[in-house]
Amino acid sequence: MQSDTLLHVANFSTLFMCMVLKFPQIFVLMRAKSASGVSLHSLLLELIGFIVFVTYQMYYDYPPPTYLEYPILIAQDVILLLLILHYNGSLRQSLIYAFLFVGGWRLLTVEKWIIDLAMSFCTFISAASKFAQLQCLWRSKDAAQVSAITWAMATYTCFARIYTTMVTTGDTQVLVRFAVMTLLNLWVMLTVIYYQRASRSKKRD
């Protein structure tokens, strides 16, 4: 009974948090009217990882509460992508990205081996997205337009998904993915906080 309650709390808190997870980052970009410090490559890789992951879960008929937040996250990432392209002056590229993402998503379910192979690379793709964001921060040393709140919520949701996966499907690939994502999201969050504090210290000096 207690484990059922914990599972429901983990599922619904994750779903609720993911409904607003990207909002802080979206608002920061809209207020600054700049995408400085936010990695386009990181966002594109994250989108690929999300699409592969949710398609894998749906293909194998996993319980919807274990992946329901991903369509919401994908929609928020699309808004972020459009904002970054807009502020970078390359909004026309959005049509190319839309064609590639929709075409790739359709390709995933053509054969079982394709979705299995894609899922085996999913953790590496998602990890690469975090390293792309870290590299962008290390290079620019500017986290003013990066939301630490978004990365904190991402850390929590991945941590919660470790528990829900263990209780429901026990899928090893999924567990490894969430464990790696939890650590990398935490790393990005701490890096953002570090550069934001360093920037505030310089302004005071």
Side-chain angles (χ1 to χ4, degrees):
M1 186 69 179
Q2 188 178 2
S3 63
D4 287 344
T5 303
L6 280 173
L7 180 61
H8 286 309
V9 169
N11 275 329
F12 285 108
S13 64
T14 298
L15 180 59
F16 173 75
M17 205 163 282
C18 286
M19 288 175 70
V20 297
L21 193 148
K22 301 287 183 173
F23 282 16
Q25 183 62 75
I26 290 170
F27 294 150
V28 168
L29 289 184
M30 291 176 70
R31 187 169 60 248
K33 291 182 170 42
S34 168
S36 175
V38 181
S39 171
L40 175 61
H41 293 145
S42 172
L43 185 62
L44 292 172
L45 287 167
E46 183 176 74
L47 263 171
I48 293 169
F50 284 169
I51 291 169
V52 170
F53 185 76
V54 73
T55 306
Y56 175 85
Q57 299 270 51
M58 292 171 68
Y59 186 85
Y60 283 103
D61 292 322
Y62 282 174
T66 63
Y67 63 84
L68 202 57
E69 70 270 19
Y70 279 87
I72 300 170
L73 287 172
I74 290 170
Q76 292 177 61
D77 266 0
V78 168
I79 295 170
L80 264 179
L81 176 61
L82 291 173
L83 283 173
I84 291 172
L85 291 174
H86 171 66
Y87 292 132
N88 288 345
S90 50
L91 191 57
R92 290 181 180 178
Q93 292 181 12
S94 60
L95 293 175
I96 299 172
Y97 290 126
F99 175 77
L100 291 174
F101 279 123
V102 172
W105 173 65
R106 297 286 294 177
L107 179 65
L108 285 172
T109 53
V110 170
E111 294 285 347
K112 179 180 177 294
W113 68 267
I114 297 176
I115 187 63
D116 287 340
L117 181 65
M119 186 59 196
S120 68
F121 285 107
C122 188
T123 299
F124 297 104
I125 294 168
S126 296
S129 79
K130 313 306 176 189
F131 279 114
Q133 181 57 59
L134 284 166
Q135 188 177 39
C136 184
L137 289 168
W138 292 333
R139 187 171 57 247
S140 68
K141 294 181 171 54
D142 178 14
Q145 276 68 257
V146 184
S147 172
I149 297 173
T150 287
W151 288 101
M153 289 194 291
T155 302
Y156 168 78
T157 56
C158 285
F159 184 74
R161 280 301 176 216
I162 293 174
Y163 174 74
T164 61
T165 304
M166 288 173 65
V167 173
T168 53
T169 65
D171 190 308
T172 304
Q173 281 194 91
V174 176
L175 276 172
V176 169
R177 180 184 183 277
F178 281 128
V180 172
M181 291 306 100
T182 300
L183 293 173
L184 290 177
N185 282 333
L186 180 62
W187 190 0
V188 175
M189 182 194 75
L190 294 174
T191 304
V192 170
I193 292 171
Y194 170 78
Y195 283 124
Q196 287 180 347
R197 286 182 176 175
S199 178
R200 283 195 292 268
S201 296
K202 284 181 181 178
K203 286 178 181 178
R204 282 198 297 267
D205 294 341

